[in-house]
Amino acid sequence: MALRLGDTAPNFTAETTEGKIDFHQWLGSGWGILFSHPKDYTPVCTTELGAVAKMKNEFDKRNTKVIAVSVDALDSHHGWVCDINETQNTKMNFPIIADPDRNVANLYDMIHPKADDTFTVRSVFVIGPDKKIKLTLTYPASTGRNFPELLRVIDSLQLTAKFKVATPANWQDGEDCIISTAVKDDDIPASFPKGHRRIKPYLRYTPQPNK
Ligand code: BEZ
């Protein structure tokens, strides 16, 4: 069955371009992103991995580790990393899991047979410090993902894990947030001392609490 939000991210051991890992141990106590690639030496995947390598400091700032998976073997990954570095003008700085037996792909239901019965789709799993799945995304092989959107989601996930707020459409870090409907009007001043705007009983905004 497909993994759902709130499920525990399945653990596994695997060879990666940075050595053998136990996934949960590798995640440690922070956040993590596991994202799949249909195949090595493919154009869209090459640009995606280069893009993430260039943004790695942004994930680090958010205490979020990134790891990719592709169903090819380690030798192939090592050769591909040279191409990624060369063509994307970067240096790969996070691991790629070798998954030739499709263990990880199957655990995370990354192969969608009606799209392609051999290769994975472009899946993303954001995993919290409690090892629970906080976000899933599924893109087709032909569409590269928008990685700034993942940073935006992580900002929202980390904020809403800490404060009784939600984030509105197209929210960016630093913008006003929506006060959780579970917070009573009378309790808002104590919980949100920066002030609030009440548009409707269910729509109340406050400045971002941790800024
Ligand atoms: C790509 O990464 O370019 C790609 C991979 C598999 C199918 C289609 C495109």
Side-chain angles (χ1 to χ4, degrees):
M1 194 169 96
L3 293 168
R4 293 181 173 173
L5 302 191
D7 287 346
T8 298
N11 196 24
F12 56 83
T13 55
E15 295 289 350
T16 82
T17 49
E18 296 186 3
K20 190 166 183 175
I21 61 158
D22 171 288
F23 185 51
H24 281 190
Q25 270 179 20
W26 177 85
L27 282 169
S29 56
W31 291 70
I33 293 183
L34 170 66
F35 63 118
S36 64
H37 295 274
K39 195 167 167 45
D40 291 7
Y41 296 103
T42 50
V44 178
C45 299
T46 300
T47 63
E48 287 191 320
L49 289 168
V52 173
K54 286 178 184 160
M55 293 167 60
K56 167 89 166 15
N57 65 324
E58 290 298 328
F59 290 104
D60 290 345
K61 275 190 219 163
R62 291 159 175 84
N63 191 25
T64 301
K65 289 183 160 185
V66 288
I67 190 163
V69 58
S70 171
V71 295
D72 289 304
L74 203 52
D75 276 359
S76 165
H77 285 2
H78 282 304
W80 188 29
V81 164
C82 295
D83 275 14
I84 295 165
N85 291 344
E86 178 196 328
T87 63
Q88 305 307 302
N89 197 23
T90 189
K91 184 154 176 26
M92 275 295 284
N93 46 17
F94 59 91
I96 308 175
I97 296 166
D99 194 33
D101 57 5
R102 291 155 174 64
N103 177 40
V104 177
N106 288 329
L107 272 177
Y108 282 79
D109 196 29
M110 291 165 165
I111 295 175
H112 295 198
K114 288 178 186 160
D116 189 307
D117 57 11
T118 309
F119 304 122
T120 68
V121 291
R122 295 185 196 282
S123 301
V124 182
F125 294 87
V126 176
I127 299 159
D130 56 2
K131 309 287 184 292
K132 305 282 187 209
I133 293 172
K134 307 296 182 187
L135 169 130
T136 65
L137 280 179
T138 307
Y139 275 44
S142 52
T143 305
R145 286 158 284 199
N146 181 324
F147 292 96
E149 168 62 3
L150 284 181
L151 293 177
R152 193 189 75 87
V153 171
I154 289 167
D155 286 339
S156 173
L157 285 168
Q158 294 183 344
L159 177 73
T160 59
K162 215 164 165 190
F163 298 94
K164 289 181 181 160
V165 294
T167 58
N170 301 329
W171 174 86
Q172 297 286 344
D173 190 41
E175 293 180 358
D176 285 357
C177 304
I178 293 170
I179 298 170
S180 162
T181 50
V183 179
K184 295 194 178 86
D185 277 349
D186 289 349
D187 296 333
I188 289 178
S191 299
F192 300 100
K194 290 180 180 171
H196 72 284
R197 289 179 288 129
R198 189 176 186 276
I199 312 296
K200 291 277 181 191
Y202 58 85
L203 182 59
R204 301 157 307 168
Y205 289 93
T206 189
Q208 185 169 327
N210 63 348
K211 287 282 165 180

